[in-house]
Amino acid sequence: MGFTSKMFVVSSPISDVKTSNHDYKTLFKTARQCQQHQMVVLRRNKHPQISLYASHYHIMKPRHKATTTTTTTTCILKEERDSSPSFTSCGLKFIRGKKLLSELSTWRIGGPCNYFVQVSDRTQLLSAIRYCREHSIRFLIIGKGSNCLFDDSGFDGCIILNRIDFFEEVKSGIYRVGSGYPFNQLGVRCSNDGFTGLEFASGVPGSVGGGAYMNAGANGQEISDVISSVEILQTDGRLETINQNDLAFSYRKSSFQDMEDLAAIVAVTFKIKPFPLAREQQKAYLTKRRLSQPLGERSAGSVFKNPEGVGVSAGELIEKAGLKGFRLGNAKISEVHANFFINCGGSTSKDMIELINLVKEKVKDKFNVELIEEIQYVSPI
Ligand SMILES: NC(=O)C1=CN([C@@H]2O[C@H](COP(=O)(O)OP(=O)(O)OC[C@H]3O[C@@H](n4cnc5c(N)ncnc54)[C@H](OP(=O)(O)O)[C@@H]3O)[C@@H](O)[C@H]2O)C=CC1
Ligand SMILES: C=C(O[C@H]1[C@H](O)[C@@H](CO)O[C@H](OP(=O)(O)OP(=O)(O)OC[C@H]2O[C@@H](n3ccc(=O)[nH]c3=O)[C@H](O)[C@@H]2O)[C@@H]1NC(C)=O)C(=O)O
């Protein structure tokens, strides 16, 4: 059997603590009540009666440690994070507890998420968000996961993987693109068509939505320079188109980051100008990127923003602090570019966070500069 979202788990501390018979009875009673309420005894324990009861169910190892008091049996009711089967709602397939965030992040770090769903159009996105809201499930939209640090313990909510990846040429130089479209491909495609403004995007592993959200940029270009309008979905399900004039962008900052009611960016319309050498420019940027960045490695691009008003890049500061190549556990500062931190294989989020904090401390001590993360931490709860 598996759990549905309505089922809960009773995790019993019974094998961990000295409890009286009375306490066993209490637990047994609770378990029976739980059965009526579609709850399940999670933990195998030494008391035969309870074991017998529990044997009607699949008995699993608890994921969370039971806590207890010494005198009374404490049952912890927790929504189960694992072992539940996939289910379908509104035509969408939700995967429970099995999808690893490490598969969804370019860093290849992160434990399982409680719910996972992939959407490929606006209607599906709306349905996924509606489901989460109706069931009070926290949700997070991700594109290519190239800017996220997920936690080893996963995410206690729903990850909505955005694969809204249509590409529409409205007219010459005007493109309407799904937010899940690969940013890298957009750069190559527009340059190939002889338009300028997005050459920098080739080699960037993010999505168009992630790019707009972060105001991605490189080589003196920024996505905001060529955005004409953005279609967003609000948390209440309303769709809105916002024109460039009503949006504010700055270095790695966009209005979207401050919108409390934003559920997701759905599509972006770009207006770009013809330029015969766009393709050459795009190729030159990519060559430079390949030489200066560890593109083949498991990274999240720049970990820190470049500090403003200092005149020195984050990478340079980290290198001058003597940290290039420094390794902590399985997380390492790239030898190629010091603002890229590499998962050498098996790095945990803990390794990475410790490395990030160490770098911040050293740079602060040596140069009195506060480095600020460009990457986004995704907290597990
Ligand atoms: N210049 C470079 O070389 C590199 C640049 N980057 C940039 O990092 C960004 C990462 O893109 P991507 O990998 O797709 O993002 P991610 O999947 O890593 O998501 C990062 C955050 O962006 C927000 N986000 C992503 N998609 C959407 C959407 N459709 N609507 C609203 N918010 C969204 C979410 O923020 P929240 O959780 O707050 O909702 C999410 O947590 C891009 O800007 C990319 O250009 C990344 C690597 C290298
Ligand atoms: C990779 C990202 O974007 C990148 C983008 O690709 C490049 C190319 O334009 O410019 C920014 O990096 P950056 O400022 O480190 O650019 P680079 O040209 O590589 O380096 C700037 C300067 O720092 C020096 N540098 C860089 C790395 C290093 O280890 N040591 C060092 O001394 C370089 O020699 C150069 O003089 C973006 N990063 C940020 C945080 O703004 C990203 O956002 O994830």
Side-chain angles (χ1 to χ4, degrees):
M1 73 166 278
F3 300 105
T4 71
S5 59
K6 292 242 160 53
M7 288 182 172
F8 289 84
V9 169
V10 179
S11 173
S12 155
I14 210 153
S15 58
D16 293 344
V17 288
K18 290 184 191 92
T19 43
S20 67
N21 270 341
H22 172 74
D23 291 326
Y24 286 125
K25 273 185 202 148
T26 312
L27 181 69
F28 184 62
K29 203 171 142 202
T30 313
R32 244 203 334 246
Q33 282 165 358
C34 290
Q35 186 192 20
Q36 282 155 15
H37 291 94
Q38 282 193 298
M39 290 177 187
V40 180
V41 174
L42 179 70
R43 189 169 191 138
R44 185 190 289 279
N45 52 66
K46 288 167 192 154
H47 193 276
Q49 219 177 1
I50 301 287
S51 292
L52 195 71
Y53 173 84
S55 70
H56 291 148
Y57 298 93
H58 282 232
I59 304 164
M60 291 161 294
K61 277 194 169 175
R63 309 200 119 250
H64 38 267
K65 240 185 152 177
T67 55
T68 185
T69 63
T70 44
T71 48
T72 55
T73 303
T74 313
C75 293
I76 301 156
L77 303 186
K78 268 213 158 197
E79 202 174 352
E80 173 57 359
R81 295 168 59 98
D82 199 352
S83 304
S84 306
S86 305
F87 64 95
T88 303
S89 175
C90 312
L92 286 174
K93 191 176 171 194
F94 285 79
I95 296 173
R96 294 286 326 263
K98 292 192 186 79
K99 192 74 180 173
L100 290 175
L101 296 170
S102 55
E103 293 167 14
L104 305 174
S105 85
T106 54
W107 241 331
R108 295 278 173 266
I109 293 174
C113 53
N114 205 355
Y115 297 77
F116 169 81
V117 65
Q118 180 170 326
V119 297
S120 55
D121 60 36
R122 204 170 72 179
T123 314
Q124 288 189 347
L125 176 64
L126 191 57
S127 303
I129 290 169
R130 214 170 257 159
Y131 182 90
C132 292
R133 276 171 63 85
E134 279 168 13
H135 294 81
S136 306
I137 299 165
R138 176 184 167 214
F139 65 88
L140 185 69
I141 317 277
I142 62 158
K144 298 287 181 184
S146 70
N147 217 34
C148 286
L149 180 53
F150 294 117
D151 196 274
D152 301 323
S153 62
F155 180 71
D156 192 10
C158 183
I159 293 288
I160 304 177
L161 184 64
N162 176 12
R163 288 294 177 264
I164 307 174
D165 59 359
F166 65 85
F167 183 93
E168 191 185 309
E169 189 177 350
V170 180
K171 57 182 179 180
S172 181
I174 300 190
Y175 296 95
R176 180 171 169 263
V177 188
S179 55
Y181 194 84
F183 197 41
N184 170 40
Q185 262 182 47
L186 179 71
V188 175
R189 203 158 170 175
C190 293
S191 312
N192 261 342
D193 290 353
F195 289 98
T196 187
L198 287 165
E199 295 92 321
F200 77 97
S202 80
V204 175
S207 66
V208 166
Y213 185 87
M214 296 297 300
N215 189 20
N219 302 105
Q221 298 182 321
E222 275 184 350
I223 191 171
S224 52
D225 299 336
V226 284
I227 285 180
S228 158
S229 63
V230 180
E231 292 156 59
I232 61 161
L233 187 63
Q234 315 259 37
T235 43
D236 63 6
R238 274 185 306 126
L239 278 159
E240 197 187 337
T241 301
I242 313 177
N243 288 322
Q244 152 84 23
N245 296 344
D246 298 319
L247 290 167
F249 291 99
S250 55
Y251 172 64
R252 297 294 190 270
K253 182 103 181 74
S254 76
S255 310
F256 307 113
Q257 294 166 15
D258 300 323
M259 287 181 187
E260 280 183 11
D261 296 334
L262 175 79
I265 296 167
V266 179
V268 182
T269 299
F270 295 97
K271 197 170 175 190
I272 42 181
K273 294 198 174 100
F275 177 52
L277 298 178
R279 178 69 172 142
E280 272 58 50
Q281 183 142 298
Q282 175 262 312
K283 282 197 214 157
Y285 286 166
L286 188 57
T287 305
K288 186 179 156 218
R289 192 184 280 279
R290 285 197 178 118
L291 290 172
S292 61
Q293 297 178 358
L295 289 193
E297 309 260 26
R298 285 167 281 206
S299 84
S302 298
V303 167
F304 298 107
K305 297 180 199 180
N306 283 335
E308 289 179 274
V310 175
V312 190
S313 72
E316 200 170 339
L317 289 170
I318 300 167
E319 178 168 350
K320 288 196 168 140
L323 291 166
K324 217 168 189 176
F326 183 84
R327 183 168 174 158
L328 198 157
N330 288 318
K332 185 180 140 179
I333 297 169
S334 166
E335 312 267 7
V336 180
H337 195 300
N339 200 13
F340 282 61
F341 293 10
I342 309 297
N343 171 3
C344 306
S347 166
T348 58
S349 59
K350 190 168 165 280
D351 289 345
M352 206 50 89
I353 289 169
E354 279 177 13
L355 186 59
I356 290 170
N357 289 337
L358 180 140
V359 167
K360 284 172 86 168
E361 260 173 51
K362 296 259 180 208
V363 168
K364 172 79 180 150
D365 285 353
K366 195 155 178 151
F367 305 107
N368 197 26
V369 174
E370 305 256 8
L371 289 178
I372 297 169
E373 289 87 336
E374 179 184 313
I375 53 125
Q376 311 247 321
Y377 294 103
V378 178
S379 80
I381 44 169

